[in-house]
Coordinates of all heavy atoms in Angstrom, one line a residue:
V208 N -3.6 87.4 259.2 CA -3.5 86.7 260.4 C -2.6 87.4 261.4 O -2.5 87.1 262.6 CB -2.9 85.3 260.3 CG1 -3.9 84.4 259.5 CG2 -1.6 85.3 259.5
V209 N -1.9 88.5 260.9 CA -1.1 89.4 261.8 C -2.2 90.1 262.6 O -2.9 91.0 262.1 CB -0.3 90.3 261.1 CG1 0.4 91.3 261.9 CG2 0.8 89.5 260.2
E210 N -2.3 89.9 264.0 CA -3.3 90.4 264.7 C -3.0 91.8 265.3 O -3.8 92.5 265.8 CB -3.7 89.4 265.8 CG -4.2 88.1 265.3 CD -4.7 87.1 266.4 OE1 -3.8 86.8 267.2 OE2 -5.8 86.7 266.3
A211 N -1.6 92.1 265.4 CA -1.3 93.4 266.0 C -0.1 94.0 265.3 O 1.0 94.1 265.8 CB -0.9 93.2 267.5
P212 N -0.5 94.5 264.0 CA 0.6 95.2 263.3 C 0.9 96.6 264.0 O 0.1 97.0 264.8 CB 0.0 95.4 261.9 CG -1.5 95.5 262.2 CD -1.7 94.5 263.3
I213 N 2.0 97.1 263.6 CA 2.4 98.5 264.2 C 1.5 99.5 263.6 O 1.1 100.5 264.3 CB 3.9 98.7 264.1 CG1 4.7 97.6 264.8 CG2 4.2 100.1 264.7 CD1 4.4 97.5 266.2
V214 N 1.4 99.5 262.3 CA 0.6 100.4 261.5 C 0.1 99.8 260.2 O 0.7 98.9 259.7 CB 1.5 101.6 261.2 CG1 2.7 101.2 260.3 CG2 0.8 102.8 260.6
C215 N -1.0 100.3 259.7 CA -1.6 99.8 258.6 C -1.8 100.9 257.6 O -2.0 102.1 257.9 CB -3.1 99.3 258.8 SG -3.1 97.8 259.9
G216 N -1.8 100.6 256.2 CA -2.0 101.5 255.2 C -2.9 101.0 254.1 O -2.9 99.8 253.8
I217 N -3.6 101.9 253.5 CA -4.5 101.6 252.3 C -4.1 102.5 251.2 O -4.2 103.7 251.3 CB -6.1 101.7 252.6 CG1 -6.4 101.0 253.8 CG2 -6.8 101.3 251.4 CD1 -6.5 99.5 253.7
S218 N -3.6 102.0 250.2 CA -3.2 102.8 249.0 C -4.4 103.0 248.1 O -5.6 102.7 248.5 CB -2.1 102.0 248.2 OG -2.6 100.8 247.6
S219 N -4.3 103.5 246.9 CA -5.4 104.0 246.0 C -6.3 102.8 245.7 O -5.9 101.7 245.5 CB -4.8 104.5 244.8 OG -4.1 105.7 245.0
L220 N -7.6 103.0 245.8 CA -8.6 102.0 245.5 C -9.3 102.1 244.2 O -9.5 103.3 243.7 CB -9.6 102.0 246.7 CG -9.1 101.7 248.1 CD1 -10.2 101.7 249.1 CD2 -8.4 100.3 248.1
G221 N -9.7 101.1 243.6 CA -10.4 101.0 242.3 C -11.1 99.7 242.1 O -11.1 98.9 243.1
Y222 N -11.5 99.4 241.0 CA -12.3 98.2 240.6 C -11.3 97.1 240.2 O -10.6 97.2 239.2 CB -13.3 98.5 239.5 CG -14.4 99.4 239.9 CD1 -14.4 100.7 239.6 CD2 -15.5 98.9 240.6 CE1 -15.4 101.6 240.0 CE2 -16.6 99.7 241.0 CZ -16.5 101.1 240.7 OH -17.5 101.9 241.1
D223 N -11.3 96.1 241.1 CA -10.5 94.9 240.7 C -10.9 93.7 241.5 O -11.4 94.0 242.6 CB -9.0 95.2 241.0 CG -8.1 94.3 240.2 OD1 -8.6 93.5 239.3 OD2 -6.9 94.2 240.5
H224 N -10.8 92.5 241.0 CA -11.2 91.3 241.7 C -12.6 91.4 242.1 O -12.9 91.0 243.3 CB -10.2 91.0 242.9 CG -8.9 90.9 242.4 ND1 -8.4 89.9 241.6 CD2 -7.8 91.6 242.8 CE1 -7.1 90.0 241.4 NE2 -6.7 91.1 242.1
M225 N -13.5 91.9 241.3 CA -15.0 92.2 241.7 C -15.7 90.9 242.0 O -16.7 90.9 242.8 CB -15.6 93.0 240.7 CG -15.1 94.4 240.7 SD -15.9 95.5 239.5 CE -15.3 94.9 237.9
D226 N -15.2 89.8 241.4 CA -15.9 88.5 241.6 C -15.7 88.0 243.1 O -16.4 87.2 243.6 CB -15.4 87.5 240.7 CG -13.9 87.3 240.7 OD1 -13.2 88.3 240.9 OD2 -13.4 86.2 240.4
I227 N -14.6 88.5 243.7 CA -14.3 88.2 245.1 C -14.7 89.2 246.1 O -15.3 89.0 247.1 CB -12.8 87.8 245.3 CG1 -12.4 86.8 244.3 CG2 -12.5 87.5 246.7 CD1 -13.0 85.4 244.5
L228 N -14.4 90.5 245.8 CA -14.5 91.6 246.7 C -15.8 92.4 246.7 O -16.1 93.1 247.6 CB -13.3 92.6 246.5 CG -11.9 91.9 246.6 CD1 -10.9 93.0 246.3 CD2 -11.7 91.2 247.9
G229 N -16.5 92.2 245.6 CA -17.8 92.9 245.4 C -17.7 93.8 244.2 O -16.7 94.1 243.6
S230 N -18.9 94.2 243.8 CA -19.1 95.0 242.4 C -19.0 96.5 242.6 O -19.0 97.2 241.6 CB -20.3 94.6 241.7 OG -21.5 94.8 242.6
T231 N -19.0 97.0 243.9 CA -19.0 98.4 244.1 C -17.7 98.9 244.9 O -17.1 98.0 245.6 CB -20.3 98.8 245.0 OG1 -20.1 98.3 246.3 CG2 -21.5 98.3 244.4
L232 N -17.4 100.1 244.8 CA -16.3 100.6 245.5 C -16.5 100.5 247.0 O -15.5 100.2 247.7 CB -16.0 102.0 245.1 CG -15.1 102.3 243.8 CD1 -14.9 103.7 243.6 CD2 -13.8 101.6 243.9

Side-chain angles (χ1 to χ4, degrees):
V208 291
V209 175
E210 297 182 305
I213 301 300
V214 62
C215 296
I217 306 285
S218 64
S219 299
L220 297 178
Y222 292 98
D223 200 14
H224 303 298
M225 291 181 286
D226 55 330
I227 303 296
L228 305 179
S230 59
T231 68
L232 275 180

